[in-house]
């Protein structure tokens, strides 16, 4: 029997959602500073309008839904699912007002792509977009990568509560770095801001060295850092990383992508001096193995077709796309069409596999995630061992992820279910792509890229693509970023509201 | 005397013939360059293998800052088709840039004749053009700033609503605190 949600449930959800929308309004004020620095009057208005809409909506929700009950698991999940939708819709307002989007749907796509750290883009004439709007595009990645809830927890909430923990977990983060969830959220931001400052300085100096003016170099550096560390994939230029024609910048972005793909817990362990964890961690080992396997696949195919005769070129093109795919970043020093026109099917399969697998849990990457792959693999080994050993023997499989844990059936079951859901999402998107007339491999490539929040494109994503397909990719980005459960709960809540008993 | 006149005439005729020939050769070469069809970025990226190592003519707007390096300069030229292409200029001094495209700036429109590379050996496998000749077709310009009048009006309306809401929030907050 399903129970129909009560008014209080709606109030609890609305009240928290209102707070999160207000937080988004405050974030929208940040690009105004960029507008003032670069003397861009028109874009400042776009962000003032966007922020005011957020404040009005947020205040209205908190006014009408004023309640002091704590969030339950269901409420937390629904709040997060709706907050991400609201962020995509409201974050699209200044983008749409820029006049660089064919429709509001395109602006919503861009906004969702930003918040979900995907990197697929529908912006028209990016090279003439204002600094202010460009900064916002990248800021959405920084905010989305760390988590909209994480920022709200760090800024708006003073003390931790069970409800705070529930919405934190609902945002596809199931690990606490520190005992208190607010401290964890603040730690995540501390790590991010320290890296932001250091990374931007390094990238800025690289930009100057490669021929950019200091102002442009540091603006690009901040943007690229936010998109690379949060495994997003936007750049301020239509050519993506290729604009810079720089091996140096590519190398720095590789390091940032890897840093972004590592579990925040692992960052904490490294920060606190536990460097042995780097070599013992199952997740990191799995990531290394899958990276090596997919790299071999890509290199073998690229060598077969003799696309890049030089080792440097092979590394710059082959490894760069692969690391970008595996970390879910989506940075590319190739043109989208080159994937389909030049690269062989095997190398495309290698890239699709890397995109689908993704990085680490509790990082900014999307996809299945290395820990789940590792757990499934360990589970498989355990099963084989059990069959081979005498029936009377008791076998215990242990895994090391930050601490030594006994591998239980439930761990493997959860990992398998989530992996299957990701596979279903990748293939569902591919079928939709084929429905619109795109070939299978192209459709699978684009669908995996959207669902695993990567951002590499083989050319399907462009402003002239069918509107329905844009909507499907947006849903994939949303589902992929939140790792399904919040969205299933939201779906269940809607069903209960319609069919549930009073 | 006669011999001298003949040799003199021969010299003059051969000089005129040479000038004529050189002029025509130059004209043929020039015609060859400019009669070549301008290739779009879409065409170049899609059929990169066919154009690899060929002398091509490419046209587009200079976007973003040119990147000066020790041995030359990179310019990114966008023809509004598939994307901007990187153009490597070995002698940057010969290029006169007025405007590079950006926000509210339309960059110089340039015509580049150069060698196309699908995966340039010199530049780490980049798809690029090594320029041999660059001509400006149209100088860039700064676009006049749009007047955001409708945005100002909209913003004023929103501000009024927001102020009212903040007032309500303040009053309600005080009432709730009392109770």
């Amino acid at each position: 029997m399903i129970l129909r949600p009560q008014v209080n449930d709606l109030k609890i959800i609305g009240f928290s959602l209102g707070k999160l929308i207000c937080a988004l309004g405050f974030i929208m004020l940040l690009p105004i500073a960029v507008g003032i620095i670069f003397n861009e009057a028109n874009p400042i208005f776009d962000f003032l309008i966007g922020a005011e809409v957020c404040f009005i909506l947020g205040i209205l929700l908190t006014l009408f839904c004023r309640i002091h009950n704590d969030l339950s698991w269901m409420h937390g999940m629904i709040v997060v699912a709706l907050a991400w939708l609201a962020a995509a819709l409201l974050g699209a307002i200044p983008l749409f007002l820029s006049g660089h989007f064919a429709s509001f749907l395109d602006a919503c796509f861009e906004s969702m792509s930003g918040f979900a750290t995907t990197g697929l883009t529908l912006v028209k004439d990016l090279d003439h977009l204002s600094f202010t709007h460009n900064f916002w595009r990248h800021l959405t990645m920084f905010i989305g990568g760390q988590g909209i809830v994480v920022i709200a927890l760090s800024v708006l909430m003073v003390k931790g509560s069970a409800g705070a923990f529930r919405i934190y977990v609902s945002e596809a983060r199931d690990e606490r770095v520190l005992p208190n969830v607010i401290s964890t959220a603040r730690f995540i931001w501390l790590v991010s801001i320290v890296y932001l400052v250091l990374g931007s300085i390094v990238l800025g100096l690289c930009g100057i060295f490669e021929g950019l003016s200091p102002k442009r170099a540091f603006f690009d550096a901040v943007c690229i850092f936010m998109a690379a560390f949060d495994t997003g994939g936007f750049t301020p230029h239509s050519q993506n990383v290729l604009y810079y024609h720089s091996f140096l910048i590519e190398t720095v972005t590789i390091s940032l992508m890897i840093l972004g793909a590592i579990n925040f817990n692992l960052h904490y362990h490294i920060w606190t001096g536990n460097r042995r964890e780097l070599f013992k961690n199952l997740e990191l080992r799995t990531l290394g193995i899958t990276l090596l396997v997919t790299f071999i696949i890509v290199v073998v195919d690229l060598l077969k077709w003799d696309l890049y005769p030089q080792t440097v070129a092979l590394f710059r093109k082959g490894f760069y796309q692969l690391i970008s795919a595996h970390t879910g970043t989506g940075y590319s020093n190739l043109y989208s069409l080159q994937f389909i026109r030049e690269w062989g099917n095997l190398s495309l399969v290698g890239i699709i596999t890397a995109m689908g697998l993704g990085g680490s849990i509790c990082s900014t990457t999307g996809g299945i995630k290395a820990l789940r792959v590792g757990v499934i693999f360990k589970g498989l080994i355990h099963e084989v061992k059990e069959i081979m050993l005498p029936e009377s023997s008791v076998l215990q499989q242990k895994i090391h992820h930050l601490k030594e844990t006994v591998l239980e059936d439930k761990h493997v079951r959860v990992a398998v279910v989530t992996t299957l859901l990701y596979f279903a999402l990748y293939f569902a998107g591919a079928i939709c792509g084929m429905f619109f007339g795109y070939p299978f491999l192209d459709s699978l490539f684009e669908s995996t890229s959207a669902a695993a929040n990567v951002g590499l494109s083989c050319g399907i994503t462009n402003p002239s693509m069918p509107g329905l397909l844009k909507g499907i990719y947006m849903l994939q980005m949303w589902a992929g970023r939140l790792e399904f459960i919040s969205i299933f709960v939201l779906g269940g809540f809607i069903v209960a509201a319609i069919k549930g008993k009073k | 005397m006669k011999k001298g006149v003949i040799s003199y005439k021969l010299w003059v005729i051969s000089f005129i013939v040479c000038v004529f020939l050189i002029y025509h050769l130059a004209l043929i070469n020039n015609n060859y360059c400019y009669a070549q069809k301008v290739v779009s970025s879409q065409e170049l990226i899609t059929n990169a293998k066919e154009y690899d190592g060929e002398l091509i003519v490419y046209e587009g707007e200079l976007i973003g800052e040119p990147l000066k390096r020790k041995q030359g300069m990179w310019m990114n030229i966008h023809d509004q088709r598939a994307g901007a292409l990187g153009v490597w200029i070995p002698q940057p001094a010969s290029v006169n840039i007025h405007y590079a495209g950006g926000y509210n700036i339309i960059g110089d429109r340039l015509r580049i004749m150069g060698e196309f590379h699908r995966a340039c050996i010199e530049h780490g496998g980049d798809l690029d053009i090594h320029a041999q000749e660059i001509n400006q077709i149209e100088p860039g310009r700064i676009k006049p700033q749009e007047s955001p009048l409708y945005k100002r009006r909209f913003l004023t309306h929103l501000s009024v609503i927001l102020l009212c809401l903040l007032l309500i929030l303040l009053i309600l907050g005080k009432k709730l605190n009392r109770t």
Side-chain angles (χ1 to χ4, degrees), chain A residues 47-97:
Chain A
F47 284 93
L48 283 174
I49 290 170
E52 288 204 357
V53 171
C54 286
F55 290 137
I56 290 168
L57 200 68
I59 292 171
L60 277 174
L61 275 170
T62 46
L63 269 177
F64 285 111
C65 306
R66 205 171 185 87
I67 196 161
H68 291 288
N69 293 12
D70 206 2
L71 292 157
S72 69
W73 277 108
M74 180 190 75
H75 298 136
M77 299 235 167
I78 295 166
V79 166
V80 167
L82 290 175
W84 279 75
L85 277 185
L89 279 170
L90 297 166
I93 294 171
L95 292 175
F96 180 64
L97 291 172

Side-chain angles (χ1 to χ4, degrees), chain A residues 342-361:
Chain A
E342 290 181 12
W343 284 37
N345 286 350
L346 186 64
S347 44
L348 280 182
V349 167
I351 295 285
I352 293 169
T353 310
M355 287 199 291
L357 291 174
S360 304
I361 278 175

Side-chain angles (χ1 to χ4, degrees), chain A residues 7-201:
Chain A
V7 180
N8 268 3
D9 292 319
L10 292 173
K11 277 190 166 183
I12 293 167
I13 294 164
F15 189 67
S16 299
L17 191 63
K19 275 185 172 181
L20 286 172
I21 289 172
C22 283
L24 184 71
F26 282 114
I27 297 164
M28 237 181 243
L29 297 174
L30 292 175
I32 293 171
V34 177
I36 293 165
I37 293 167
F38 287 93
N39 196 21
E40 295 174 335
N42 205 359
I44 291 174
F45 283 98
D46 301 344
F47 284 93
L48 283 174
I49 290 170
E52 288 204 357
V53 171
C54 286
F55 290 137
I56 290 168
L57 200 68
I59 292 171
L60 277 174
L61 275 170
T62 46
L63 269 177
F64 285 111
C65 306
R66 205 171 185 87
I67 196 161
H68 291 288
N69 293 12
D70 206 2
L71 292 157
S72 69
W73 277 108
M74 180 190 75
H75 298 136
M77 299 235 167
I78 295 166
V79 166
V80 167
L82 290 175
W84 279 75
L85 277 185
L89 279 170
L90 297 166
I93 294 171
L95 292 175
F96 180 64
L97 291 172
S98 72
H100 280 259
F101 291 89
S103 63
F104 189 68
L105 178 70
D106 285 16
C108 286
F109 184 98
E110 190 83 3
S111 178
M112 179 59 93
S113 177
F115 282 115
T117 67
T118 307
L120 290 171
T121 182
L122 288 180
V123 63
K124 289 192 299 178
D125 198 13
L126 175 60
D127 300 299
H128 292 101
L129 188 69
S130 69
F131 286 93
T132 319
H133 286 103
N134 240 329
F135 180 74
W136 174 241
R137 286 173 73 239
H138 294 84
L139 188 65
T140 56
M141 295 201 140
F142 198 51
I143 302 297
Q146 310 312 320
I148 296 168
V149 167
V150 170
I151 191 172
L153 287 175
S154 354
V155 179
L156 295 179
M157 296 196 186
V158 185
K159 57 180 184 187
S161 65
F165 176 63
R166 283 168 194 148
I167 52 169
Y168 169 79
V169 173
S170 307
E171 207 174 32
R173 284 184 187 277
D174 37 16
E175 288 172 1
R176 269 189 286 187
V177 183
L178 296 163
N180 184 316
V181 73
I182 306 288
S183 317
T184 302
R186 283 182 186 153
F187 173 76
I188 290 173
W189 276 102
L190 173 74
V191 171
S192 309
I193 287 166
V194 168
Y195 280 133
L196 172 69
V197 174
L198 294 175
S200 300
I201 292 170

Side-chain angles (χ1 to χ4, degrees), chain B residues 149-172:
Chain B
L149 194 66
Y150 75 97
K151 285 181 187 173
R152 276 183 202 184
R153 279 184 190 156
F154 189 45
L155 194 65
T156 317
H157 293 312
L158 285 175
S159 305
V160 172
I161 298 169
L162 185 62
L163 275 174
C164 293
L165 279 173
L166 282 172
L167 264 173
I168 295 167
L169 198 70
L170 206 74
I171 295 161
L172 265 178

Side-chain angles (χ1 to χ4, degrees), chain A residues 414-440:
Chain A
V414 170
V416 169
V417 168
T418 315
T419 306
L420 286 175
L421 283 171
Y422 268 108
F423 274 123
L425 192 66
Y426 299 154
F427 281 98
I431 290 165
C432 292
M434 285 193 288
F435 177 77
F436 286 102
Y438 297 105
F440 171 68

